[in-house]
Amino acid sequence: MDSVRKYLEGTNSIAGVYVQSTKQTMSIYEAKSKGLLTPGTSLVLLEAQAATGFVIDPVKNKKLSVEESAAQGLVGNEWKNKLLSAERAVTGYKDPYTGNTISLFQALKKDLIVKDHGIRLLEAQIATGGIIDPVYSHRVPVEVAYQRGYFDEEMNQILDDPDDDTKGFFDPNTQENLTYLQLVERCVRDPDTGLSLLVIVKKGEFYFFIDEQTKTILKAMTTTKAGGKFQGQKVSLWDLLYSKYITEERRRELVQQFKSGAITIERFMEIILTIIQQKTTTTTTTTSSMTTCTPPPETKSEKTTITTTTTETSFHGIRKNVTASELLDSKIIDKKLYEDLNTGKVTVNQVSEMDSVRKYLEGTNSIAGVYVQSTKQTMSIYEAKSKGLLTPGTSLVLLEAQAATGFVIDPVKNKKLSVEESAAQGLVGNEWKNKLLSAERAVTGYKDPYTGNTISLFQALKKDLIVKDHGIRLLEAQIATGGIIDPVYSHRVPVEVAYQRGYFDEEMNQILDDPDDDTKGFFDPNTQENLTYLQLVERCVRDPDTGLSLLVIVKKGEFYFFIDEQTKTILKAMTTTKAGGKFQGQKVSLWDLLYSKYITEERRRELVQQFKSGAITIERFMEIILTIIQQKTTTTTTTTSSMTTCTPPPETKSEKTTITTTTTETSFHGIRKNVTASELLDSKNH
């Protein structure tokens, strides 16, 4: 919902620049380096980015923290400290007297930052969705900002009636001092990413922007007749003009016609409403360009083809968006679900959360890092190698498996990164960067040297573009974590679709179905066994906070818990249709129930050991598991559990359970951390 998204994500800050003469998009820092922006203008624009959420790479359409942006060369290290200071407007300042986290405005009132600097950052936050609450990591409405002490009437007056002293931003084309909102409104939108870009024009080129007088007139003209996302709302002509329904070219043309007197304000509104009606009931194909310096002739701007196809729904894939029709073609969703999506009976979020869909869009867990049993410490694969806990060989194959199944993982910060990002941030060493980039092609695709086409891991293997053992290891890791990845469409596919698209065959299926020590490409450092990737994943523990799978590292003489293959076979053979929760109405194995989110690591160990010792039968094992799931899915069950207990606790401890009628709190993605639904209610974000 726009009314919620505004506070969770904010609206667009100025992401970069658009060079009108060359039609080139570039970052603020690159524009400074090329002499297109002065250092002063560049710095205040980057500070505004940092203070409104993230530093932005407009070319790659990525949002980064200041640390990440400096590590990746998006900004220079000479500005890193200044930008880290601006970033505190998001993460919070430390009150030197109390040690509490305080907001930008509170820091300004306590003279912890220079007044002009603070006002500039505060104005940028308000212009991009609202003042940021650093404690809860989301923006808040003005009245809530007042209540929490993040704003006051005096500051409101300063920002409501800006003079040249408080207009902290600069239009390099007109040499005017402007507010951040005024400068944002002069930007163009990148048609692919939707990012706001500051136009840079050469001397003598036409520079299009809407002057303040015209803007006031357009904001004063309102209607309740708009369709689409504005259905039933009172909305201004200005907001309609700058909505997603109006192309940059059409906007320029209509404004110029209005300013020249060719059309009245009423006719202006009629044209806009007609365009929106066409766009929301049909697909309108228009010839448009963000960068035309003069308005095109009427015949060109009206070149429109009407069809009855609605805009295609899309989902987040591994590295790019995936359309609903592609999910249908890949047999990930059926025709009925596809039609329900198109008619609005179900939402993209609802479908994305279905296990049968999420498995192919996101995959299941790869081995994210290690868990040192003796110290209860979580660390990355590379750090474990550096500390001598894993051999270089074991570490490299585990990192290659990460890269080949989607991303390199930081298990401490719970972040997924590309190989380039992980090397830039020191998560992996540069000595392994090229090997990991090679493994990453299992996700992004290999280039066929004969045709130039993008081909899959298996196809590259068949064409001898990669070593057989290496390729089999990566392919097995993909299958173990949700399915073979289609590099063209950036999602995993069911086995039968992989066969159809030439991403798999019967011979490879036989090799992976019946592995021997030659094809078991992974290694358990605790038992010295060669294993398949799936077997090694199944020996991992789940981090209770992140849900990531971690390979346990035990010292000599410590107890190492894992389930042997014989016991695993028995647990997989025992099935039921009586489980509740996410398994309601499904036939499911005791193994899958045991490794579901409902069973704690401690309880799992205890029950397996009781079963293996003969203290409980397989039937009793199933009864206990079903009872736990029933309790967890009808009430909130508070249990004392620990991922790291080396020996099973006594029965009384594992049964220490308090039943209440409170359900688990729903949470949303905030700016830098999750935000609960109750916090959104408290903040009046509805």
Side-chain angles (χ1 to χ4, degrees):
M1 295 176 181
D2 287 345
S3 58
V4 177
R5 187 171 64 237
K6 171 184 175 181
Y7 295 109
L8 289 175
E9 298 177 11
T11 56
N12 267 357
S13 60
I14 300 171
V17 304
Y18 180 78
V19 185
Q20 190 165 276
S21 58
T22 62
K23 301 183 180 180
Q24 187 183 1
T25 297
M26 62 180 71
S27 71
I28 301 291
Y29 191 78
E30 186 184 356
K32 188 271 292 186
S33 301
K34 291 186 173 179
L36 299 171
L37 290 177
T38 66
T41 298
S42 306
L43 180 58
V44 296
L45 289 173
L46 283 170
E47 285 177 328
Q49 284 186 9
T52 55
F54 298 93
V55 179
I56 304 169
D57 184 334
V59 179
K60 296 179 180 175
N61 192 19
K62 286 168 64 178
K63 293 180 177 181
L64 305 169
S65 68
V66 172
E67 285 285 357
E68 291 168 335
S69 62
Q72 294 181 35
L74 183 61
V75 298
N77 278 315
E78 74 277 12
W79 283 353
K80 182 178 172 182
N81 286 340
K82 288 182 183 290
L83 296 180
L84 283 171
S85 174
E87 190 176 45
R88 291 195 193 102
V90 176
T91 57
Y93 298 81
K94 188 175 180 178
D95 188 320
Y97 310 107
T98 66
N100 294 338
T101 296
I102 59 174
S103 73
L104 169 59
F105 176 71
Q106 289 167 325
L108 192 58
K109 297 296 279 185
K110 290 177 182 282
D111 295 325
L112 300 181
I113 48 177
V114 177
K115 185 179 179 182
D116 290 349
H117 179 65
I119 289 174
R120 191 165 64 236
L121 302 185
L122 197 62
E123 196 257 315
Q125 285 192 355
I126 293 169
T128 56
I131 293 168
I132 292 173
D133 183 325
V135 177
Y136 292 106
S137 196
H138 63 83
R139 295 166 191 266
V140 292
V142 172
E143 66 270 23
V144 176
Y146 273 102
Q147 290 164 9
R148 295 186 180 176
Y150 298 162
F151 202 49
D152 67 10
E153 190 53 46
E154 181 189 357
M155 184 57 68
N156 193 35
Q157 286 298 320
I158 291 170
L159 296 179
D160 252 5
D161 188 24
D163 56 22
D164 270 358
D165 291 334
T166 52
K167 288 178 176 176
F169 298 88
F170 184 76
D171 185 333
N173 302 297
T174 64
Q175 313 297 303
E176 292 171 275
N177 290 326
L178 300 172
T179 66
Y180 195 68
L181 182 60
Q182 287 170 338
L183 195 58
V184 168
E185 288 174 341
R186 292 189 180 185
C187 289
V188 293
R189 287 246 179 171
D190 186 303
D192 296 321
T193 63
L195 295 174
S196 293
L197 303 173
L198 180 64
V199 180
I200 302 291
V201 296
K202 285 187 175 178
K203 194 171 182 179
E205 278 188 322
F206 173 71
Y207 174 45
F208 172 80
F209 68 92
I210 300 177
D211 61 274
E212 292 303 305
Q213 184 182 351
T214 305
K215 192 190 300 178
T216 302
I217 296 167
L218 297 177
K219 286 185 175 182
M221 183 69 174
T222 61
T223 183
T224 56
K225 296 178 181 177
K229 63 182 279 189
F230 302 109
Q231 190 78 43
Q233 298 175 42
K234 184 177 181 180
V235 62
S236 71
L237 178 52
W238 173 266
D239 289 332
L240 296 176
L241 186 66
Y242 274 86
S243 69
K244 64 183 179 181
Y245 306 112
I246 313 300
T247 65
E248 192 73 30
E249 183 181 65
R250 195 72 170 107
R251 183 183 305 129
R252 290 185 181 197
E253 178 190 352
L254 288 168
V255 169
Q256 288 176 325
Q257 287 179 0
F258 170 65
K259 289 180 73 175
S260 69
I263 58 173
T264 64
I265 190 78
E266 291 79 15
R267 178 61 185 147
F268 197 162
M269 178 67 88
E270 283 174 21
I271 294 168
I272 291 292
L273 291 177
T274 302
I275 293 170
I276 293 173
Q277 184 182 18
Q278 289 174 343
K279 287 277 179 81
T280 53
T281 55
T282 59
T283 297
T284 307
T285 308
T286 62
T287 304
S288 65
S289 165
M290 184 174 74
T291 58
T292 307
C293 302
T294 54
E298 186 67 17
T299 51
K300 185 180 179 186
S301 67
E302 296 300 332
K303 183 183 175 186
T304 303
T305 306
I306 307 297
T307 72
T308 56
T309 308
T310 55
T311 305
E312 178 73 287
T313 306
S314 67
F315 297 77
H316 290 299
I318 300 169
R319 293 293 177 91
K320 58 187 178 185
N321 282 353
V322 181
T323 64
S325 57
E326 166 52 26
L327 294 186
L328 178 64
D329 292 342
S330 299
K331 300 179 182 175
I332 293 167
I333 61 174
D334 60 22
K335 187 71 175 173
K336 183 181 183 305
L337 191 54
Y338 176 74
E339 288 169 354
D340 286 348
L341 263 169
N342 285 337
T343 57
K345 289 181 181 176
V346 292
T347 67
V348 168
N349 283 346
Q350 287 170 328
V351 175
S352 297
E353 287 304 308
M354 295 175 181
D355 287 344
S356 58
V357 176
R358 189 170 63 236
K359 170 184 175 181
Y360 295 108
L361 289 176
E362 299 177 13
T364 55
N365 266 355
S366 60
I367 299 170
V370 304
Y371 179 78
V372 186
Q373 190 164 276
S374 58
T375 62
K376 301 183 179 180
Q377 186 183 3
T378 297
M379 61 180 72
S380 70
I381 301 291
Y382 191 77
E383 186 184 356
K385 188 271 293 186
S386 301
K387 292 186 173 179
L389 298 171
L390 290 176
T391 66
T394 298
S395 307
L396 180 58
V397 296
L398 288 173
L399 283 169
E400 285 177 329
Q402 284 186 9
T405 56
F407 298 93
V408 179
I409 303 169
D410 183 335
V412 178
K413 296 178 181 176
N414 191 21
K415 286 169 64 178
K416 294 180 177 181
L417 305 169
S418 68
V419 171
E420 286 284 359
E421 290 169 336
S422 62
Q425 294 182 36
L427 184 60
V428 298
N430 278 315
E431 73 277 14
W432 281 355
K433 182 178 170 182
N434 286 340
K435 288 182 183 290
L436 296 180
L437 283 170
S438 175
E440 190 176 44
R441 291 195 192 101
V443 176
T444 58
Y446 298 81
K447 187 174 181 179
D448 188 321
Y450 310 107
T451 66
N453 294 339
T454 297
I455 59 174
S456 73
L457 169 59
F458 175 72
Q459 291 167 324
L461 191 58
K462 296 296 278 186
K463 289 177 182 282
D464 295 324
L465 300 180
I466 48 176
V467 177
K468 185 178 180 182
D469 291 350
H470 179 64
I472 288 174
R473 190 166 64 237
L474 302 185
L475 198 61
E476 197 257 314
Q478 285 192 355
I479 294 168
T481 55
I484 291 168
I485 292 172
D486 183 325
V488 178
Y489 293 105
S490 196
H491 63 83
R492 296 165 191 267
V493 291
V495 172
E496 65 271 21
V497 177
Y499 273 101
Q500 290 165 7
R501 295 185 182 176
Y503 297 163
F504 202 49
D505 67 10
E506 191 53 46
E507 181 189 356
M508 184 57 69
N509 194 35
Q510 286 298 320
I511 291 169
L512 296 178
D513 253 5
D514 188 24
D516 55 24
D517 271 358
D518 291 335
T519 51
K520 287 179 177 176
F522 298 89
F523 183 76
D524 186 333
N526 303 298
T527 64
Q528 313 297 304
E529 293 171 275
N530 290 326
L531 300 172
T532 66
Y533 196 68
L534 181 60
Q535 287 170 338
L536 195 57
V537 169
E538 289 174 342
R539 292 189 181 186
C540 289
V541 294
R542 287 249 180 171
D543 186 305
D545 296 321
T546 64
L548 296 174
S549 293
L550 304 173
L551 180 63
V552 180
I553 302 292
V554 296
K555 286 186 175 178
K556 196 171 181 179
E558 277 187 323
F559 174 71
Y560 175 45
F561 172 80
F562 68 92
I563 301 177
D564 60 274
E565 292 303 306
Q566 184 182 352
T567 305
K568 192 189 301 179
T569 302
I570 295 167
L571 297 177
K572 286 185 174 182
M574 183 69 175
T575 61
T576 184
T577 55
K578 296 178 181 177
K582 63 182 277 189
F583 301 109
Q584 190 80 43
Q586 299 176 40
K587 184 177 180 180
V588 62
S589 71
L590 178 52
W591 172 266
D592 289 331
L593 296 176
L594 186 66
Y595 273 86
S596 70
K597 64 183 180 181
Y598 306 113
I599 313 299
T600 65
E601 192 74 31
E602 182 180 65
R603 195 72 170 107
R604 184 182 305 130
R605 290 186 182 195
E606 179 190 351
L607 288 169
V608 169
Q609 289 177 324
Q610 286 180 2
F611 170 64
K612 289 181 73 174
S613 70
I616 58 173
T617 63
I618 191 77
E619 292 78 15
R620 177 62 184 144
F621 196 162
M622 178 67 87
E623 284 174 19
I624 294 168
I625 291 291
L626 291 177
T627 301
I628 293 170
I629 293 174
Q630 184 182 19
Q631 291 174 342
K632 289 276 180 82
T633 53
T634 55
T635 58
T636 297
T637 306
T638 308
T639 62
T640 303
S641 66
S642 166
M643 186 176 74
T644 59
T645 306
C646 302
T647 55
E651 185 68 17
T652 51
K653 185 179 178 186
S654 67
E655 296 299 335
K656 184 182 175 185
T657 304
T658 305
I659 307 296
T660 72
T661 56
T662 308
T663 55
T664 305
E665 176 75 288
T666 305
S667 66
F668 298 78
H669 290 300
I671 300 168
R672 292 293 177 92
K673 60 186 178 185
N674 281 353
V675 181
T676 64
S678 58
E679 166 52 25
L680 292 187
L681 177 63
D682 292 343
S683 300
K684 302 178 182 175
N685 294 345
H686 54 78

